[in-house]
Amino acid sequence: MQKFQSSQKMFFIYCTILALCAILALTSFLISPSESGNAIFLGLSITRLLLVLGLFTVFIFFSLLTIRSAKDQTWAESTFEEWFGNGRFGSVTRWLGGISFGVGWIGVFVPTYYAKGLENYWIRLQPIILFILLAGIATLVMIFVSRKKSPIDLKILRGSVFLFLASMVVLAFMLFSKTGVFSLEDFWYGAGVPILAGQLIVAIIGGLLFLQVEKKWTFKNFDLAIFFLIFVVTAFLWAREPLQKSFLFAGPYPPNQTLYPFADAFAFDVGSQFALIGQKLFFYNTFFFERPLYLSFLLYLHTFFGQNYETLMAAQAGIFAILPALIYLIGRSFNLRSVGFAAALVAMLRGINAIAASNMIDMANQKMILTDFPAAIGVALVVLITCEWLKAPKKNQHYALWLGGALGFTLMLRTNALMLLALLPLYAFFKFAPDWKGWLLHSFLILFAVIAITLPWELRNRSLGGQMYGPIITKFQNVIDQRYRTSTSVPVPIVPTTQASVLQSTHLISILYLGNDPVQDVTVCSSVTCFVPTHFLHNIITSLLILPTSPVMDNLRHVIMANPYWSPSWDGVFPPWTLFFFVLNVFFVILGIALAWDRNGLRGIAPLAIFMFYNLANAFARTSGGRYIVPMDWIVTIYFLLGVFQVIFWVVNSVGTDWKFKSDGTKDTAGNQLTLTKLSKSVVVVVALLGFGALIPLSETLHVKRYQGFSVEHIITENKQNLDAVGLDTLSIDTFRKSPDAMILVGRALYPRSYKKDQGDPFFYPTVKMPFPRTTFTLIGPDGEHGIILPGSTSEYFPHASDVLVIGCKSTKYLDALAVIILDENRSTYIRTPLSNLQCPLQQPVCDNNSNCE
């Protein structure tokens, strides 16, 4: 190690700083309130007296070192060399500095509410903890500046700084103009699911430990073992998180006191329930729709796990745990296993946060019945296969087919994948150039694979009289009609219907449900040139805001409640000091992007390209933030961690270590096969894609028609005794059936809920608030779907997914039930109370404030 001429001065400054910090900590500690009953000397307890003596000793020690270093240059330089050099004592100093920094950081930034009854003691110890932190920082700084050679790659740093400054110009424009930050646009949500500061530290430490393991302990199928380890641990953690009440899981209500799907989740689940009774998948009042994969998946879940939504969502979360494992493989694809492992930990912990925050933020998570989270798995597959494909595209012909399959998989979940299908081949052209013939071949293979995986479903549609790929065209037409040809500044709620309707005004619903209050004097963009860049920028900033904007290690509720980013009406104003950390996060992300480009070129920024392409699809669809960024916001964490790891490597390598991303001896194993082998692989891939696609229409054949041959007259006759007991004899039922709009239906009763007077859930019949007590459920059967309302007190027994016979009157919004018979061994029969005249329309109850109804 070089002996700097300023070694004496540096050691003098170091000792002086620690002495001053010690005396300031001692002073602050002494002026804090003292105990009244435990004092033994100078008003101090034995514990505080020992701490005071310790701080005073530290002050004296470093004061003496300061004086001697000022008088004796030779001694100062020798001691500086011994403390901060490469010798044994220098190694001890490095460890002590790191431990002091870590312990001090945790002690300073862990909130006092974690102390649980010991808050006063925790607050009193803060001066000492702050001294430990400052001592660690000072020690690490001395170690860093004492080095002769800096390990920093100036080329990467210069490129990062240039991109960072450019991004700051864009950010300043956004914050001052509010473009991409605030709008009263419909389908406009807040930030994505946050990763907490403490969790991020755990993930970073986990990645660094994995780096050491990877260097010393690797074996055949190492990556496969890590993949399954991440998958199993994530599945366990996600499955055990309890299902939370949220806008998409309303309740619990009697009689079953459980959570049932609502709104969009209701629509998806009802669509799958039709196939459980032997009918076709039925979604948004049609057999033909563009996102069949998730409905089929729900059908398989119900088939194997039943109708309990706690169990059902736990199983779904366990399956969706594949996402963090795929993220690890993406890191492995770049030979950045430690970064991939850390990013997988971040995804794992964010998944826990997403479930826990279900009732706090608008979000799609692995325990919600929505397509956004499985679409994230599809995007992860697209990213992984793209990275593998671009390693050596000319040799990896079968990867083009796998990529098309992944795009088709995602397309059957979210139509946004069409943007990836259109732009990814154009992106890859730069990798193929000037071999345009090879590029055309691979582009054709991608398209061919998309058709292969979607063909079984499209043939099913064709067999039912539909148009192949017609639902996708219809989806685009609906988006254009709903979001391009309207220019309202404030969204208008939809008219509730009995059908499973898509949410036309999710922003307003979230405002009312979460209690947000939008600013009314801002107009909405009405032109494509306005709302596309607005939503595009909003998707970027809400994706970045998943990263911590404070070093304080708050819990999830404190983070969400203390920061406004998760409100759709956030105005772009950052809480104090958080803007600095947000800008710091942006720098780390940009550094990671620059490093990825430097290491892997076009392939290194393929995840970024896919992030931008999907973001662009969201923007053209006039959607941003919240659940709409779930499929791709995790990509930000990969580049962020790559930047963080690079800074850590620069720091630790400055003290003589040799940390690097790529392990010794690891090699990329890009395709190196014979033409015949590649051809056979391609055939296998196509067959696999066709087989996977066939699972969707196959799911509709798993269950026989449940209500085939059911006779209403026979059921009424079987239950004559029960009907007579409640005042409905056969003659009165026959008379009632002659009334206009009278209906007698048989089917499966879903989501029974009993409400008190003026109680209900918003926007959708049959669950809206009504001025009388009632039991509601959704009936599906041969006659389609109907919302049922049965006035009266709470039913004591009404199992979900039970067979029922409903007698009632059809109205424009729901079926007003006169009587309901549960067709199980109990044969429970319920009649409306108070009983109405037996003709349609039925007389509605009138109730007083005590729920006494006439």
Side-chain angles (χ1 to χ4, degrees), residues 730-765:
T730 305
L731 180 61
S732 62
I733 293 175
D734 289 338
T735 303
F736 173 76
R737 294 178 69 176
K738 297 177 182 178
S739 299
D741 296 324
M743 300 185 72
I744 299 181
L745 302 174
V746 65
R748 173 164 287 183
L750 304 174
Y751 326 125
R753 300 177 175 101
S754 292
Y755 295 103
K756 297 179 181 178
K757 175 181 178 292
D758 297 324
Q759 186 185 56
D761 291 297
F763 300 108
F764 300 101
Y765 283 94

Side-chain angles (χ1 to χ4, degrees), residues 508-520:
L508 181 62
I509 289 175
S510 67
I511 289 171
L512 296 176
Y513 187 72
L514 298 176
N516 300 317
D517 183 20
V519 181
Q520 299 294 331

Side-chain angles (χ1 to χ4, degrees), residues 258-319:
T258 189
L259 298 173
Y260 289 128
F262 184 69
D264 280 17
F266 162 87
F268 284 111
D269 194 59
V270 167
S272 70
Q273 294 277 359
F274 272 96
L276 289 172
I277 58 174
Q279 298 179 216
K280 297 294 183 182
L281 294 169
F282 191 76
F283 192 60
Y284 292 159
N285 202 25
T286 179
F287 293 115
F288 314 112
F289 44 97
E290 80 288 352
R291 292 180 289 172
L293 179 55
Y294 186 59
L295 262 70
S296 178
F297 172 76
L298 281 176
L299 172 56
Y300 283 111
L301 277 185
H302 279 297
T303 301
F304 290 107
F305 296 99
Q307 293 282 359
N308 183 291
Y309 286 93
E310 284 275 359
T311 303
L312 201 71
M313 291 298 98
Q316 174 176 281
I319 296 170

Side-chain angles (χ1 to χ4, degrees), residues 245-562:
K245 175 182 178 181
S246 66
F247 184 68
L248 295 172
F249 266 107
Y253 295 109
N256 300 325
Q257 295 295 344
T258 189
L259 298 173
Y260 289 128
F262 184 69
D264 280 17
F266 162 87
F268 284 111
D269 194 59
V270 167
S272 70
Q273 294 277 359
F274 272 96
L276 289 172
I277 58 174
Q279 298 179 216
K280 297 294 183 182
L281 294 169
F282 191 76
F283 192 60
Y284 292 159
N285 202 25
T286 179
F287 293 115
F288 314 112
F289 44 97
E290 80 288 352
R291 292 180 289 172
L293 179 55
Y294 186 59
L295 262 70
S296 178
F297 172 76
L298 281 176
L299 172 56
Y300 283 111
L301 277 185
H302 279 297
T303 301
F304 290 107
F305 296 99
Q307 293 282 359
N308 183 291
Y309 286 93
E310 284 275 359
T311 303
L312 201 71
M313 291 298 98
Q316 174 176 281
I319 296 170
F320 288 174
I322 196 74
L323 177 61
L326 289 174
I327 292 173
Y328 167 74
L329 290 184
I330 293 171
R332 174 258 178 201
S333 180
F334 290 130
N335 219 358
L336 300 170
R337 288 172 172 81
S338 57
V339 175
F341 187 80
L345 292 180
V346 168
M348 180 193 301
L349 296 170
R350 283 188 69 216
I352 296 173
N353 295 346
I355 299 171
S358 297
N359 58 356
M360 292 186 278
I361 58 178
D362 290 313
M363 188 50 57
N365 63 49
Q366 60 276 47
K367 284 198 171 182
M368 287 183 176
I369 303 178
L370 291 172
T371 59
D372 305 88
F373 198 92
I377 298 173
V379 172
L381 285 171
V382 171
V383 171
L384 174 61
I385 297 171
T386 300
C387 294
E388 290 294 317
W389 175 49
L390 292 180
K391 282 182 179 180
K394 296 179 182 179
K395 298 180 180 180
N396 288 337
Q397 181 174 298
H398 63 288
Y399 275 113
L401 290 168
W402 282 123
L403 177 56
L407 289 170
F409 173 93
T410 312
L411 179 62
M412 290 189 289
L413 293 167
R414 305 287 298 181
T415 51
N416 304 58
L418 281 175
M419 187 68 74
L420 301 179
L421 176 60
L423 296 182
L424 262 179
L426 294 178
Y427 178 81
F429 176 78
F430 298 99
K431 184 73 174 180
F432 279 86
D435 181 18
W436 62 270
K437 290 183 180 180
W439 174 75
L440 284 176
L441 173 62
H442 281 245
S443 299
F444 169 77
L445 291 175
I446 291 172
L447 180 61
F448 179 77
V450 171
I451 295 174
I453 197 172
T454 57
L455 185 62
W457 178 254
E458 297 303 328
L459 290 176
R460 173 265 194 195
N461 290 345
R462 180 64 176 162
S463 69
L464 295 176
Q467 178 185 356
M468 293 184 66
Y469 299 101
I472 296 177
I473 298 173
T474 302
K475 176 66 175 180
F476 276 92
Q477 290 173 340
N478 291 338
V479 169
I480 292 172
D481 290 340
Q482 296 169 9
R483 306 176 195 180
Y484 279 63
R485 296 173 181 170
T486 58
S487 58
T488 54
S489 60
V490 179
V492 179
I494 61 175
V495 176
T497 69
T498 59
Q499 298 298 327
S501 303
V502 65
L503 295 184
Q504 303 286 334
S505 223
T506 50
H507 173 50
L508 181 62
I509 289 175
S510 67
I511 289 171
L512 296 176
Y513 187 72
L514 298 176
N516 300 317
D517 183 20
V519 181
Q520 299 294 331
D521 59 352
V522 178
T523 58
V524 176
C525 293
S526 58
S527 66
V528 176
T529 55
C530 179
F531 68 72
V532 168
T534 296
H535 280 279
F536 183 82
L537 293 173
H538 187 61
N539 279 320
I540 292 177
I541 197 168
T542 49
S543 297
L544 289 168
L545 283 170
I546 68 175
L547 301 169
T549 55
S550 169
V552 178
M553 288 180 278
D554 276 313
N555 61 26
L556 183 62
R557 178 168 292 275
H558 278 81
V559 167
I560 292 175
M561 297 305 174

